[in-house]
Structures are given as C-alpha cells and as structure tokens.
Amino acid sequence: MKLNRLTLLLALLLISTVFVSTKLEDDYFVFPINPGQRNYLSGNFCELRSSHMHAGLDIKVGGVVGAPVHAAAAGYISRIKISWGGYGNALYLQHPNGTTTVYAHMDEFNEQIAQYVREAQYKMKSFDIELFPDKADFTIKRGEVIGKAGNSGSSGGPHLHFEIRDANQVPMDPLQYNFSEIIDNVAPYVRKVALVTLDKDARINGQFGRFEFPVQSNGNRYEVSENIRVQGEVGVEIAAFDRADGVRNVYGVTSTEMSFDGEPQFSYLTDKLAFSYARNIHVFTNYEERYRQDRTFYKLYVDEGNALPLYKTTNSQGKLMINDDKQHQVDIKLIDHYGNSSSLRISMKGNKPEPESNFKVQYFGKPYNDKNYHIRGNVLQLYVPVEKDPEGIYQRKLAKFFASRMDYEAPPAYVVNDVAVYLWDLRQGTPDSVDLCGKTQKLPIKMKVPAYNAFSFYQPEMDVYFSKSSLFDTLYLTTHYKVEADREIFSIHEDHTPLKSSINVKLKPRMMPPGPKQKMNVYKISNSGDLGYEGGEWNGNTISFDTRSFGDYVLAADTIAPVITPVNVNSRQIKFKIEDQMSGIKSYDVYVNDKWVLMKYDYKWNVIWSDPQDDKAELKGDYKLVVKDNVGNESVFEGKI
C-alpha cells in the first residue's frame, strides 16, 4: 500500500520528533553539586574498580556530608533504593528525553521523599527497601534540591555518585555533556609497559612469558629506551592513569589508540557501557598482575573471552606478529575526555632466538618464587636449574611429560640464567606429572575445562560444577587438598584466575572441626590468613556453596553471638554498635514498648541508630535490640528509657 503525501509528511515529522527528543544538548543537564561553580572529581566514568568499571562520576563534596544535591534535569522519581551496601541511599530520576539520572551514597533525601520512604520502611519493617513510585508522586524540577550528599552504602568517603543512563538503562559518560564545572588540562600518565607472548613459539628477549619495561618521559611523550627483541605473536599491556587540575586523585584513561609500523591496530573508547559487561574488567586488564602486584595494566589486545563492545581492531585483535629480523615501531596514544593526550613509543627488533645458548637477562620471566611451573594461556612452563659437567657446560636434558597414559620427551625450549625452561602445549594433553632429570614431579592440573560449556569435575575431596557462563577461557583446573593445623584446606585452582560467573562447589570433608554442624560453614582464606564467610548448605556429610573466586577454603563453626555495645540511648535517639567477628551480621531489630523502630545502618562503622516514624515523639519505655548473625547466633540487649 502506498503512503499518501499527508501520511508521509506525518511519518517524517514523527521520525524528526523522535530524533530531536533523544538528542541531548550540552545545557540539558545541570551539574548536581554546586551548579555553576568549580567542582572536582574523585572518580571518572569507566575508572577501573576491583570487580567492575565505574558507571558514573564521583563528585567531591569537601570531605563532609550535607552538600545539597540538585536534580540534573526535570522529570520524576522512578525508583528509590535503600541498602546498607552498594549505592546506599539512591534516587533514580526519569527524564522526558528518555534518560535516567542516578544519585547514590546520599546522606538523606528531601523531606517529602524521606517521609515517603520512612512510611514504607515502617510498613515493611525493613531498613533495606526498594520502591517504584508512580509518575505523579514526585515531579521534580531542573535544579531542585532532592537531598544531601553523603557516605552511605559501600562508599569510601563523603561524595556523590552521579550517573546518566540512556533509554535502555545503559550508563553513559556524563562528561560528554560538557559540564563547565570540571576543568581538566592534564594529559594521561604512563607508568610502565609490559609485553606478553601469545603463542608457544613467541619470544621476548629470547624468553617466553610476560616482561615489564620502564619508560622515560619528556613532557607528555614517553618511550621505552630499550630496543626489545621480539619473535612471534605478542601483546602489549600498559599501566597508565589520568589526572585533572587541582586534585591528586587518579582516573581511568578514556581512550587509547595503538599503531604498528604506522598502521592502526587497536583502539578502545569508554563512553558507554552496559552493566552486563561489568565482569569483563578481568579480561580488559591483566587480572593476574592486579592480584600479584596490585597494579593495573590495560591490555591493548582483545583476549579470549573478552566481549566488551569498546574496541576497534584489525583481524589480529591488536595482537602483533613479528616473524622477521627487521626494526618495528609501536606507537600508542592515550586520550582523556577533554582531548588531553600523551604518546608512547616502543621499538622492537625482529629476532630469532638461539635455543642452544645459555644467556643472562635482567628480566627473568619466572612469575612466582614458590613454585617451578606456571600456566600462561595454553602453555605450561617448567623451570629447572641446569646441571653442568666438570668443564662448566650445562647438560641439556630431556624432560618426560606423562599425559593421557602416554609419555612424551621434550628438550628445554631455552636456558636462561642457568635455568632450563621447558614449554608444553596443553592442547596436546594435560600432563599429571613430569620426569625432570630422573626426578618425577606431580603436577596439580586435574582437568581441561572448556569455556562456554557446562562441566562437572568430581574428586574424592570435592566436586566442582561450571555453568556455560562460568569461564572466560579454557581452564586447566588445578585442585589440592591438605590437612594443616588440624583443619582441612580445599584449594580450588589459583586466586589469580578470574571467573566470569559463579561456580558451585561441593566439599566432602573427612574430618569435622569442633563445633555443632548447624553452625559449620565454608570460609575463604584471604592472603593475610583471615576468614571470609561464604556460607553453604549441608546435605548429609557434604556441604555445597557458590563462589565467584578461586582460592583456598576451609570449614569453621561460628558459635559466638554478635556483640552489642550501647553508644547513645535516650528519649531522642537509640544508637548501638553491633559487631560479629566471623559470619557477619544478618539482621537486627529494635522494639520500644513492643513497637518496631526503624534503625539506619552503617556497616563501615558497625553502627545503627534510630529513625522514629514521628520526629516529634519521644522514645520512652522498655526497649529491646535483637541481633542475629548469618548462622543464627543471637544477641539480645534490653533496657528502659
């Protein structure tokens, strides 16, 4: 059916209207803190956090709570969420252009919103609450004060977390709307560069592995002074950060571009990112190095399992291939939101290594001193001190790998710093042991676990269940079981390997720690030896739990009830400190004359305090506080006001 002219005109008008309504002008939003005045940020968009990319701006408020928070644009409150962790006290404003702005870690809301929330909390008898008001309940004007900035939830200090989301609730970089309140004339900084081999035959200065190099700077120009010898497929990683005028805070780098011999190879731009990609930070950066040395290196190549939609690359995905003896040059440009840029140059010389030589190097590619093996990608590395004959010449001995009920002999790939380095491609088979010069060494690799497939692994001490989405890449699973200091330690792979989503683990203890079974749960051992509560569900003599991290786990019983300490108890306020040293606080309730009283909770300080339904009414009579931990231990504190 053909459209007549009037219908066509109306259709074009509708399309034009939709386009205009979704286009955001620079002056559509007002800055939410001290609009029109100079402001400072403590965090920028897509700054890298421990388990996610930052979804907005962290705006400084002078280190104290109470700064007025202004609505960035006209609209209505579509969601209110109160929680002891996460965003704390958070408001969500829906705007006519389809966007949503978010204001988190607030200290309090304006009086009208606060009363609405308090009534709902008393009705549900819960501090944690999530509400979805009707459109007509809270109509907000542009610039209207909706509350005060604070330090609620998982906040490290007073500030406002501010987001702008598109019509699909995808966070966007708020700085793209050119807020004049933020001034930035500082270019990104480069701390260090790393090169990593990406296949078994690749070498960096004659070695397989990952190697870091210092940089020299001249203003915003950086370079690696060493001409690095490279052969095969390698990836570039960079430790860098951004800054702004007037603050010492460090931010994430908005954009990075890399070329190889003048040809563009790789770039990323962090201007928009859905929450569903949050865990991909573990492949956007080098997760193992963040774990090992608490330093963030951006990968300038797309690693296996990385689904982030931030990149523009060639077919090589940013991975560089050098298979000649020529000189090559890598140029990297780092750009922040305001266009400030820095450059980095890396010189590489194609080089075919001499496997027979025993050479000395400054950078030795042995990641860990406490073990003589390491798995990088699909390659197992073994490090064996060389034996020398009476004339001082090293003995080039074969290693025998035992895999799939067969044995395979392999010479060292090279000898460096008097250490023979053997490389085994795990795709050929998963060895359970290796004979190194007459000495057999058991290897902890138990199984090859494919990514994107459900997989179950069974052992006498534990079972591990992987879902289709648990892994970023193929995993060569290692497990270990030992008894130490009268407790069983269940080791599930390496802490420095990331998980994309949870795995389910069933532990089969051979001995039970002291304490009642109903109080017995799974705890993860941290690097400092502390225990972190994981929980678990008993089924007969086995206990199952879900986890999103590999590491060492133990069973322990929590038989100690939470500790209650009164801070302030009078007719105007009830305030307590509540602590639990093992499984953690699960719930708390306060009653005055048998009536439930709302208590706000700051878990960072272990403090709860009253928020009466009637601000003018005095608290009088008998009171009782009941606190429970995660395994059901209960403490009760009673008194009279």
Side-chain angles (χ1 to χ4, degrees):
M1 181 178 67
K2 295 183 179 180
L3 295 175
N4 59 40
R5 293 185 62 184
L6 178 60
T7 303
L8 182 61
L9 181 63
L10 290 173
L12 292 173
L13 181 61
L14 177 61
I15 294 172
S16 175
T17 302
V18 171
F19 176 77
V20 172
S21 68
T22 56
K23 179 177 174 58
L24 300 180
E25 304 297 336
D26 288 347
D27 61 352
Y28 187 87
F29 295 109
V30 65
F31 204 70
I33 298 291
N34 297 321
Q37 302 178 38
R38 177 75 181 275
N39 273 267
Y40 302 92
L41 303 179
S42 59
N44 70 339
F45 183 78
C46 272
E47 177 186 330
L48 305 180
R49 301 296 171 88
S50 61
S51 61
H52 63 281
M53 292 184 182
H54 194 227
L57 304 179
D58 282 348
I59 305 170
K60 286 176 172 282
V61 292
V64 295
V65 302
V69 176
H70 300 262
Y76 66 92
I77 295 177
S78 58
R79 181 185 178 195
I80 306 170
K81 186 172 174 61
I82 310 293
S83 59
W84 61 265
Y87 279 10
N89 301 330
L91 288 178
Y92 299 72
L93 267 65
Q94 181 75 41
H95 305 293
N97 64 7
T99 64
T100 299
T101 52
V102 182
Y103 312 79
H105 305 305
M106 295 177 68
D107 183 58
E108 60 181 55
F109 305 139
N110 70 26
E111 186 175 349
Q112 183 185 11
I113 301 170
Q115 183 59 34
Y116 172 85
V117 173
R118 188 184 299 113
E119 289 177 0
Q121 288 173 313
Y122 270 93
K123 182 179 181 180
M124 299 180 67
K125 292 186 178 180
S126 174
F127 169 70
D128 284 21
I129 197 170
E130 186 170 16
L131 304 169
F132 298 91
D134 292 334
K135 291 183 180 180
D137 287 344
F138 298 103
T139 302
I140 305 297
K141 298 178 181 178
R142 183 175 185 265
E144 181 180 342
V145 174
I146 55 177
K148 296 179 180 180
N151 190 30
S152 60
S154 301
S155 167
H159 72 282
L160 177 71
H161 173 87
F162 174 63
E163 296 177 16
I164 299 177
R165 301 182 183 180
D166 69 11
N168 295 316
Q169 293 297 305
V170 175
M172 305 179 290
D173 186 356
L175 292 180
Q176 66 184 293
Y177 302 111
N178 299 324
F179 292 113
S180 62
E181 289 83 354
I182 302 298
I183 299 175
D184 181 359
N185 297 296
V186 183
Y189 289 73
V190 179
R191 281 180 170 145
K192 219 170 188 180
V193 168
L195 296 183
V196 58
T197 53
L198 298 176
D199 67 52
K200 179 174 172 286
D201 298 319
R203 300 289 185 269
I204 297 168
N205 286 339
Q207 300 182 77
F208 176 91
R210 182 183 181 277
F211 306 89
E212 296 182 7
F213 301 92
V215 296
Q216 296 179 338
S217 65
N218 181 11
N220 296 335
R221 293 186 175 184
Y222 297 82
E223 68 173 355
V224 177
S225 58
E226 179 179 348
N227 191 18
I228 306 169
R229 294 179 292 113
V230 175
Q231 188 70 29
E233 189 176 55
V234 299
V236 179
E237 300 176 358
I238 183 171
F241 62 92
D242 191 26
R243 275 194 171 144
D245 300 71
V247 293
R248 299 182 63 182
N249 300 81
V250 296
Y251 312 131
V253 178
T254 301
S255 177
T256 298
E257 302 169 354
M258 182 179 71
S259 65
F260 182 61
D261 291 339
E263 295 294 327
Q265 297 293 315
F266 171 95
S267 68
Y268 72 77
L269 174 63
T270 54
D271 61 345
K272 186 175 184 178
L273 189 67
F275 288 107
S276 58
Y277 292 107
R279 296 282 293 183
N280 279 267
I281 184 178
H282 299 323
V283 283
F284 180 68
T285 61
N286 190 311
Y287 183 87
E288 180 174 354
E289 295 309 314
R290 294 186 83 188
Y291 174 85
R292 251 183 10 111
Q293 58 178 330
D294 193 25
R295 179 165 290 182
T296 299
F297 280 82
Y298 295 82
K299 291 181 178 180
L300 303 190
Y301 56 95
V302 182
D303 211 352
E304 296 297 328
N306 187 346
L308 286 168
L310 306 173
Y311 304 109
K312 288 184 179 179
T313 73
T314 62
N315 291 336
S316 66
Q317 300 284 283
K319 301 168 185 177
L320 308 180
M321 174 62 76
I322 298 178
N323 53 16
D324 55 34
D325 58 0
K326 298 179 181 179
Q327 189 66 41
H328 300 275
Q329 187 170 287
V330 175
D331 288 297
I332 299 169
K333 186 177 182 181
L334 301 95
I335 313 162
D336 68 14
H337 169 79
Y338 291 89
N340 304 303
S341 66
S342 298
S343 64
L344 167 68
R345 175 162 291 178
I346 308 169
S347 297
M348 299 179 182
K349 179 72 166 62
N351 173 255
K352 293 183 179 180
E354 297 294 335
E356 294 294 333
S357 61
N358 183 11
F359 55 95
K360 304 290 183 181
V361 296
Q362 179 181 358
Y363 308 111
F364 183 29
K366 187 174 185 296
Y368 299 94
N369 293 324
D370 60 342
K371 56 187 180 183
N372 72 331
Y373 69 90
H374 184 255
I375 297 173
R376 187 177 302 282
N378 293 305
V379 179
L380 169 67
Q381 257 176 306
L382 286 172
Y383 307 89
V384 184
V386 296
E387 296 180 3
K388 298 183 180 180
D389 63 19
E391 297 180 358
I393 300 175
Y394 75 90
Q395 302 296 303
R396 188 175 176 81
K397 294 188 176 181
L398 298 176
K400 186 178 293 185
F401 292 86
F402 299 94
S404 304
R405 299 183 179 181
M406 297 183 68
D407 58 90
Y408 305 84
E409 290 185 335
Y414 53 88
V415 177
V416 57
N417 289 11
D418 295 329
V419 174
V421 180
Y422 297 84
L423 301 177
W424 174 262
D425 190 335
L426 291 164
R427 290 171 296 188
Q428 297 178 5
T430 306
D432 54 25
S433 59
V434 59
D435 185 328
L436 298 168
C437 307
K439 298 179 181 178
T440 300
Q441 176 184 337
K442 292 288 291 182
L443 295 174
I445 305 173
K446 298 297 194 302
M447 188 67 64
K448 176 182 177 180
V449 183
Y452 314 117
N453 288 288
F455 191 89
S456 300
F457 171 72
Y458 304 98
Q459 282 284 97
E461 302 85 11
M462 70 189 82
D463 299 336
V464 186
Y465 305 92
F466 297 86
S467 72
K468 291 182 179 180
S469 60
S470 291
L471 299 175
F472 288 104
D473 193 9
T474 299
L475 177 74
Y476 298 96
L477 178 66
T478 65
T479 63
H480 189 67
Y481 167 86
K482 64 180 178 181
V483 178
E484 188 176 89
D486 294 328
R487 65 179 182 180
E488 296 174 286
I489 299 178
F490 303 86
S491 299
I492 308 168
H493 205 64
E494 305 279 0
D495 295 61
H496 57 67
T497 301
L499 279 167
K500 189 175 182 180
S501 65
S502 297
I503 59 173
N504 180 263
V505 180
K506 179 191 289 185
L507 301 183
K508 308 171 187 177
R510 299 174 182 175
M511 50 188 281
M512 291 293 287
K517 186 175 178 180
Q518 66 270 24
K519 305 289 185 181
M520 195 81 59
N521 279 279
V522 180
Y523 292 80
K524 185 178 181 185
I525 307 176
S526 70
N527 289 335
S528 60
D530 295 330
L531 298 184
Y533 176 76
E534 293 283 340
E537 182 176 342
W538 285 97
N539 183 9
N541 292 322
T542 66
I543 184 170
S544 299
F545 67 103
D546 292 330
T547 181
R548 295 181 79 171
S549 61
F550 292 121
D552 294 343
Y553 295 88
V554 296
L555 292 176
D558 180 4
T559 59
I560 302 174
V563 176
I564 300 173
T565 306
V567 176
N568 192 24
V569 180
N570 57 47
S571 60
R572 301 306 306 166
Q573 186 186 65
I574 300 174
K575 189 175 185 178
F576 286 92
K577 189 170 187 177
I578 57 174
E579 301 172 274
D580 190 85
Q581 297 300 320
M582 200 156 181
S583 62
I585 301 294
K586 181 179 182 180
S587 67
Y588 59 89
D589 288 287
V590 169
Y591 302 88
V592 176
N593 292 329
D594 295 327
K595 291 185 178 180
W596 186 83
V597 176
L598 173 64
M599 302 291 287
K600 295 184 176 181
Y601 181 30
D602 188 334
Y603 80 97
K604 300 184 293 292
W605 300 98
N606 300 313
V607 171
I608 59 172
W609 65 98
S610 58
D611 185 10
Q613 193 165 14
D614 184 352
D615 291 335
K616 298 179 181 179
E618 292 187 340
L619 297 167
K620 288 185 177 181
D622 297 324
Y623 71 87
K624 180 171 71 172
L625 167 60
V626 181
V627 182
K628 295 180 181 179
D629 66 17
N630 278 297
V631 300
N633 297 310
E634 179 180 288
S635 291
V636 178
F637 193 98
E638 297 181 282
K640 192 176 185 68
I641 305 173

